[in-house]
Structures are given as C-alpha cells and as structure tokens.
Amino acid sequence: MLKSKLFLVVAAVCACWAVAACGSSSKSSSSTTAAAGSGSATSTSAATSSATSSATSSSSSSSGTPTVSVSSFNNTFTALNVLQALGKSGKGKVAAILPDTTSSTRYVEFDQPDLKKALLAAGVPSSDIIIQNAGGSDSTFYTDAQSDITNGASVILSDPEDSGTGAKVESYAKAHGVKVIDYDRLTLGGSRPYYVSFNNVTVGKLMAQGLETCVKSWGVSHPNVIFMRGDPTDNNATLFHQGSAEVLNPLFASKKWTLVATPAGTWTPTTAQSEFEQAFTAHSNANAALIPNDENGAPIITYLKSKGVKPKTFPTTGQDATLTGLQNILSGYQCGTVYKPIYQEASAAAALAVYLRAGKTPPSSLLNGTTADIDEHNKPVPSVLLHPEWVTPTNMNATIIHDNFVPAKQLCAGSYAAECKKAGISAS
C-alpha cells in the first residue's frame, strides 16, 4: 500500500458541455500547481473534448461503430441504448468492484444499482454483470478480482481504497488478458487504459469556496478553522484536500482566517468525530470546519448540537449529497454539499466497458480529458472527467430533486417540511 506518498495529480478539465466558462465559483474546473500543505508542484493535464460541439446524443463512426457523448448521459440511461448491439456482441463478463459501505452511502445507494442499469441499457446481459463491494478490505478486493477473472470477466471496473491494491489487481488482470477501467479513483502506477471520475480537485475547491461564501452569509467575523481531510492513503482525498487548500491557504496567509487544527484524516465517521472533538477541545475558539464529506460531517454536527451550537453559527462542509447531509444543510448546520451525479459516472464506465468488451476503441466523444499518473512518469491516462456541483438550499430543487437523487418526500419528512418549503421543494 502506498501510504506514505502524497499523491498530487489532477486532470485539469473544464468541459464546455458542463460549463460556460472556467473559474466560476460553482462551475470551475481545476488547473492546479500548488500542492496542498506542501508548496510543491503537481502535474496537470490538458483536457480535450470532442463532444463539446455535439448536439446529438449518439452517432456512428466511419467504421459503423456506434458512439456516445459525455453530454448525452441521463438518469434514465436511455442514451446508452445505441450501444445495445455492441453490448450483446461482446465477450466475457463485466465486473465492478466497489470499495466499502461506510465512507459514503453512494456505493450502495447509487453506484451499485446505477452501474447495473447502465450496463443493461448498453446491451450487456444480466448474466454477464457482476457488481461487488469489498467492504473496506484490501484482501477481499483482490480476491474478488481473481474470482471474477476465473468466472469469465473480460473487463473489470476497479475502485480500490488505495493504489497499492489497485496496482496489484491490474497486474493480475493484465497477466490474464483482462482489461481494467479505473472507476472513481485513479490507481497510481497502474496499467489500466482508461479512467472515469469527477474532477476531484474541483470537488475540493467547491467545498472551500462554499465555506467561504457561507462564512460571509452567516456573519462569522473571524473564522477559526479546523481543516479536515479524508484518508491520506486515498488519492482522491489528497486531491480534495489540494483543491480546498488552494482556496483556503491564501485566506490563512492573509490573516483574515485562522487555521487552528489539521487532523490526520480518515473516511471513518467515528474516527472523524474523535479527531474533531480533540481539535475542538484544544481550540475552543474554533467556529468553522472544512469537512471532506457528509458522512464524516454527520456525527460532528451531532456533537456540535450537543455543545449548544445554534444553526447558522458554525459553518461546515461536505460532499456526496447524502440524505443526512442535505437535511443538515436545510437545518443550517452545513453550508452545502458537493453533488456528483453518479448516473453520469456509471454511464461513462458502462460505455467504456462495452467498447472494451467488444474489442473496440472508445470514441473521442466519450474521452474528454487525460489524467497524469505521477507514478508512471506523468503518463497521461485517457479519461472521462465529469463535473461536480455545489448544492445549497437555493439550487437543491433544481439538482438533487430534479435528478431524483434523493426523493423530495424523503428529504422533507417531519421537521424538515418547513425548511423544504422555504427552499421551494415540494414533498408531494
């Protein structure tokens, strides 16, 4: 496991289909050079997009192979129907191995069902689809991959918790003639041909920008910030932290904000709560926190409530748009959350898998960027890079509810009905 290395790599992409211009507070893409907390440089990659001028959801190449565009994906997965003939003609099974069930509810609630829906829509028979969760175990992740290959997998969608495990899986798969697609996390030092994810430095920037906006709107005159992070062995956590640091470090340097604590980092909510409590006890003047996801934030917010903290007085952040996170936003304890439409990521991964399974090269309309693998001399990895969005009560209805990511009836249950009404969200 590569637990001592700070993985500083990001694919800088601002696809025209997703945004009108780079650099806006909620739609910005990242082209970073400053590493979080170290001052060293990180490699960046130039994004390319052949899909930006496409007005149609699909077409066929000159060779007759159907194509899909990153701009065509929807939460009904119908854009993938054009691949059905290709999906039915491919050989072998498609196996997806997800990392855990605790760092985020997304893997159980969205990735697992959405990957199956996407693969089915693209013509892969149900009997050729394997979707597993390693439950946070590196050894289970590896043995799942071995078992999948033994059972006939020709393509694996791999999302390990760390690059060491991912590289081991990719080496084994390559030796057995199986293709691997890095799903959500880039495996540094890996051998995969393609990578699918959201722009993870942008995710970090959105959280920090959201915290900055919230500090102003909630009237926190001098923020004393606990700057938290995810598990440092996770490359994505490093990128989130890097993006947040690019926004927050200038505020700390100017003395407008004060950095009071930087806990070690984790994706385990109970550990995150313990780290926060230690920092809060040592720095009773703390009045804001950069928290890297909703799951870590939930027990911390419960702790703050137990300490008598009132709504809209102690800004916090998150990502993944969980039900609890969204309700904490509505009740005034969390500034916002980074929403990542998982159906887009699942669709992109399914499309890549179908092309590889059929022995075809994915079209340029699907691959809209590259990501540098710093463990392979900055080798560019062709990538599908999707755009996250910062969600607050102002745009919750137009994003989360519109996409049916969380049903309004569930979000607005009980005491949250009044807050939903204020935000223009109807539970009917």
Side-chain angles (χ1 to χ4, degrees):
M1 294 173 66
L2 306 178
K3 293 191 175 180
S4 62
K5 182 175 291 185
L6 185 63
F7 304 125
L8 302 175
V9 54
V10 61
V13 59
C14 190
C16 298
W17 61 270
V19 290
C22 295
S24 66
S25 62
S26 64
K27 294 287 187 180
S28 65
S29 182
S30 171
S31 180
T32 60
T33 56
S38 68
S40 61
T42 180
S43 55
T44 61
S45 58
T48 59
S49 178
S50 300
T52 56
S53 61
S54 174
T56 60
S57 63
S58 63
S59 62
S60 294
S61 66
S62 58
S63 64
T65 302
T67 64
V68 292
S69 163
V70 289
S71 62
S72 68
F73 299 137
N74 54 51
N75 61 0
T76 62
F77 303 98
T78 54
L80 295 169
N81 292 164
V82 70
L83 299 177
Q84 284 191 358
L86 200 63
K88 292 173 182 177
S89 69
K91 304 298 182 183
K93 297 180 180 181
V94 178
I97 311 175
L98 301 170
D100 61 66
T101 60
T102 58
S103 65
S104 176
T105 59
R106 59 167 283 187
Y107 298 117
V108 174
E109 294 183 2
F110 300 105
D111 294 85
Q112 183 169 334
D114 284 0
L115 282 167
K116 185 172 184 179
K117 290 175 186 177
L119 288 165
L120 289 172
V124 179
S126 179
S127 58
D128 284 346
I129 299 172
I130 304 170
I131 302 176
Q132 299 156 305
N133 192 300
S137 168
D138 293 336
S139 60
T140 299
F141 197 100
Y142 183 62
T143 55
D144 280 348
Q146 289 179 307
S147 176
D148 294 338
I149 291 171
T150 299
N151 290 329
S154 59
V155 179
I156 293 177
L157 306 177
S158 176
D159 186 11
E161 290 193 321
D162 65 86
S163 287
T165 301
K168 187 178 178 181
V169 166
E170 291 177 18
S171 178
Y172 184 87
K174 186 176 182 179
H176 289 77
V178 174
K179 301 292 185 182
V180 176
I181 297 167
D182 280 356
Y183 180 79
D184 201 62
R185 290 177 174 90
L186 181 70
T187 289
L188 299 178
S191 56
R192 88 282 70 186
Y194 302 108
Y195 170 52
V196 177
S197 189
F198 290 86
N199 189 320
N200 292 312
V201 170
T202 297
V203 170
K205 282 187 172 183
L206 290 176
M207 285 190 283
Q209 290 166 347
L211 184 66
E212 185 178 14
T213 298
C214 195
V215 160
K216 293 177 182 177
S217 64
W218 289 8
V220 180
S221 59
H222 187 90
N224 296 303
V225 182
I226 298 174
F227 190 178
M228 305 186 75
R229 62 183 297 164
D231 191 328
T233 67
D234 174 9
N235 187 50
N236 277 3
T238 298
L239 299 179
F240 301 149
H241 191 75
Q242 178 184 332
S244 295
E246 289 183 17
V247 176
L248 298 185
N249 281 350
L251 294 170
F252 298 143
S254 69
K255 308 299 183 183
K256 293 179 180 178
W257 291 26
T258 299
L259 176 62
V260 297
T262 55
T266 180
W267 285 132
T268 303
T270 53
T271 304
Q273 179 184 353
S274 177
E275 289 184 349
F276 180 87
E277 288 185 17
Q278 291 176 25
F280 190 69
T281 300
H283 304 279
S284 59
N285 63 335
N287 57 9
L290 191 295
I291 304 173
N293 76 350
D294 295 354
E295 291 293 331
N296 280 7
I300 291 171
I301 288 171
T302 298
Y303 171 75
L304 288 173
K305 289 179 180 179
S306 74
K307 293 297 182 180
V309 173
K310 303 299 182 184
K312 297 188 176 181
T313 61
F314 195 115
T316 68
T317 63
Q319 70 167 301
D320 292 331
T322 67
L323 174 62
T324 301
L326 294 167
Q327 290 178 335
N328 280 333
I329 294 167
L330 289 173
S331 61
Y333 282 93
Q334 186 171 317
C335 298
T337 186
V338 178
Y339 171 48
K340 296 180 285 189
I342 305 302
Y343 68 84
Q344 295 179 6
E345 191 172 20
S347 294
L352 283 175
V354 165
Y355 285 112
L356 294 183
R357 182 171 172 268
K360 304 293 184 181
T361 300
S364 58
S365 59
L366 179 59
L367 298 163
N368 66 344
T370 61
T371 304
D373 184 342
I374 60 170
D375 276 17
E376 290 293 327
H377 308 290
N378 293 329
K379 178 181 178 180
V381 180
S383 306
V384 183
L385 296 167
L386 304 162
H387 196 82
E389 185 167 2
W390 182 247
V391 169
T392 68
T394 303
N395 64 343
M396 200 176 288
N397 195 55
T399 53
I400 306 297
I401 303 304
H402 176 268
D403 287 352
N404 199 32
F405 195 77
V406 173
K409 187 175 182 179
Q410 188 178 15
L411 176 66
C412 302
S415 61
Y416 298 98
E419 296 302 330
C420 278
K421 186 176 181 179
K422 291 179 185 177
I425 301 170
S426 173
S428 59

